[in-house]
Amino acid sequence: MKKRRILILFAAVVLSAGFFLYHRLRSVRAPEFVLSYAENQTEDYPTTLGAKKFAELVERESSGRIKILVQAEGELGAESGVIAQMQYGGIDFARVSLSQLAEYIPELNVLQMPYLYSDSDHMWKVLDGRIGSDFLEKVSKSELIGLSWYDAGARNFYNSKKPITCLEDMAGMRIRVQESEVMVDMVEALGATALPIPYADVYSALERGTVDGAENNWPSYEAMNHYEVAKYYTVDEHNRVPEMQICSKHTWNKLSEDDRQMILECAKESALYERKLWKEREADSKEIALKQGVEVVELSAAEKKRFQEAVRGVYEKYCADYMDVIEQIIEENNE
């Protein structure tokens, strides 16, 4: 009799567990959308972590209906190719540099002009305000939707010869730059010679003396060990080029208005998260470099103004039709 009761109890437990599991499985639905996200940086880079935060937020806020798969390290191709694919709906989301987007929307060159922002606070005041919103909307001209702004830090000069403390110190210096006409013209306007060299070859070029210096942000300077061959680092912040989270318009058109609004909010929240990570990464890289004996010079506001005036011709060459926007951005710092 006792054995029979045990068997009945066991059967009841099994049936109860089965009933629970059955209803549990019925309540877990497959995602309505499984979307791709292209990122060309490494898995631990701030922009990649920001993308993953975005995917996590969207999945949570949609109760699992929308799942975004972040594919980092350039798995889906170079940024230029990613943008082209997004225009035809081949990729759903991405984080891209403005230098690539400007190929499709020349007006975005405005936000890449040298010495445009006095500091980080000035840039975010612009991008988080009306001007930034206007530029996000301009992306729609190219079958894309602008979602939010990501940080990519400030680029500075460093070299193996001497501290750069004033504009005159740039004269005669051979500076490696990206393969960009804007960057070449900027360095030449400052009195130096610009030499476009692939990023991977910068260390050896500095070591051999092919170039005297280069320019980049703190994380790149530290990660590539450039402090070993160029110990003079001048914080002039000649470029603050923000990056943008974008969505394919083909994907956007498939979503409900509520989902679009939710995705915009998640994109903005992930952007704040990425900015925080970037600031931490920047501080860590600077600390590592300083421990290696790097000599840091920070340009005064007055000297930085001289550098900005020296590159005025670059503004007029690339943004002649948008000088009113340039003036509005500069004016934002005075309000």
Side-chain angles (χ1 to χ4, degrees):
M1 192 70 175
K2 184 177 180 181
K3 184 177 181 181
R4 185 180 176 186
R5 284 200 298 269
I6 291 173
L7 288 173
I8 292 172
L9 180 61
F10 177 74
V13 170
V14 171
L15 284 171
S16 177
F19 181 78
F20 173 79
L21 182 60
Y22 170 74
H23 283 276
R24 177 67 175 169
L25 289 173
R26 285 192 63 184
S27 66
V28 177
R29 298 177 181 177
E32 183 179 347
F33 297 100
V34 178
L35 307 173
S36 57
Y37 189 118
E39 169 60 65
N40 70 352
Q41 294 289 359
T42 58
E43 293 286 350
D44 64 344
Y45 204 74
T47 55
T48 306
L49 296 175
K52 291 180 177 179
K53 171 62 88 173
F54 170 63
E56 174 190 317
L57 290 169
V58 169
E59 185 168 8
R60 186 189 72 193
E61 294 301 315
S62 68
S63 300
R65 287 188 305 103
I66 303 175
K67 187 174 183 63
I68 298 174
L69 304 177
V70 177
Q71 292 165 277
E73 301 186 359
E75 186 178 339
L76 296 180
E79 285 189 8
S80 57
V82 165
I83 294 170
Q85 289 188 65
M86 292 182 73
Q87 290 175 316
Y88 295 99
I91 294 173
D92 302 299
F93 295 95
R95 186 280 315 158
V96 295
S97 169
L98 285 195
S99 61
Q100 297 295 330
L101 277 177
E103 294 295 318
Y104 301 88
I105 310 164
E107 193 170 348
L108 286 173
N109 276 318
V110 167
L111 299 178
Q112 302 184 76
M113 287 297 99
Y115 304 105
L116 180 60
Y117 308 105
S118 60
D119 54 25
S120 178
D121 289 341
H122 179 199
M123 184 179 77
W124 292 121
K125 182 179 180 182
V126 170
L127 296 181
D128 289 336
R130 178 185 54 79
I131 294 174
S133 295
D134 289 346
F135 275 103
L136 286 174
E137 290 178 10
K138 292 180 192 301
V139 177
S140 63
K141 298 176 183 177
S142 295
E143 295 299 313
L144 303 167
I145 300 295
L147 300 177
S148 67
W149 299 103
Y150 269 25
D151 201 353
R155 299 177 75 95
N156 305 291
F157 289 113
Y158 51 91
N159 77 94
S160 61
K161 299 297 183 181
K162 62 183 179 181
I164 296 173
T165 61
C166 62
L167 185 59
E168 287 74 18
D169 289 333
M170 293 291 292
M173 296 279 277
R174 294 167 299 166
I175 304 294
R176 177 269 172 182
V177 296
Q178 299 166 288
E179 296 176 88
S180 159
E181 289 186 15
V182 174
M183 294 301 292
V184 168
D185 288 344
M186 179 196 74
V187 167
E188 299 280 349
L190 294 174
T193 299
L195 298 173
I197 294 175
Y199 182 52
D201 298 334
V202 177
Y203 187 101
S204 59
L206 287 164
E207 189 174 36
R208 294 195 309 267
T210 305
V211 296
D212 300 316
E215 53 81 47
N216 219 316
N217 56 45
W218 277 111
S220 296
Y221 174 69
E222 175 265 319
M224 298 300 286
N225 299 322
H226 289 174
Y227 54 80
E228 295 177 351
V229 286
K231 69 175 184 177
Y232 300 109
Y233 194 99
T234 296
V235 180
D236 70 306
E237 299 180 334
H238 52 263
N239 274 116
R240 284 186 177 275
V241 182
E243 300 186 332
M244 191 186 292
Q245 268 192 313
I246 56 177
C247 177
S248 167
K249 188 175 283 187
H250 293 267
T251 304
W252 195 251
N253 290 339
K254 296 175 185 176
L255 301 171
S256 69
E257 187 58 40
D258 285 345
D259 283 344
R260 291 176 187 176
Q261 188 58 40
M262 177 270 293
I263 283 172
L264 281 172
E265 290 171 1
C266 291
K268 290 174 181 177
E269 186 174 342
S270 77
L272 296 177
Y273 176 74
E274 187 272 344
R275 293 180 203 177
K276 175 178 176 291
L277 292 181
W278 182 270
K279 187 175 291 187
E280 292 171 354
R281 175 72 174 263
E282 205 168 43
D284 289 344
S285 294
K286 181 178 180 180
E287 184 178 354
I288 291 170
L290 289 174
K291 288 180 178 178
Q292 298 300 318
V294 171
E295 185 175 331
V296 179
V297 173
E298 298 208 16
L299 291 185
S300 66
E303 193 61 36
K304 193 172 177 179
K305 184 69 175 177
R306 293 184 67 210
F307 275 64
Q308 185 183 45
E309 289 298 325
V311 300
R312 189 72 179 183
V314 179
Y315 285 43
E316 293 164 355
K317 179 177 179 178
Y318 293 95
C319 300
D321 295 334
Y322 313 117
M323 290 303 293
D324 58 328
V325 182
I326 295 283
E327 294 301 332
Q328 289 174 35
I329 290 173
I330 294 172
E331 187 61 31
E332 282 281 347
N333 192 45
N334 301 322
E335 294 181 358

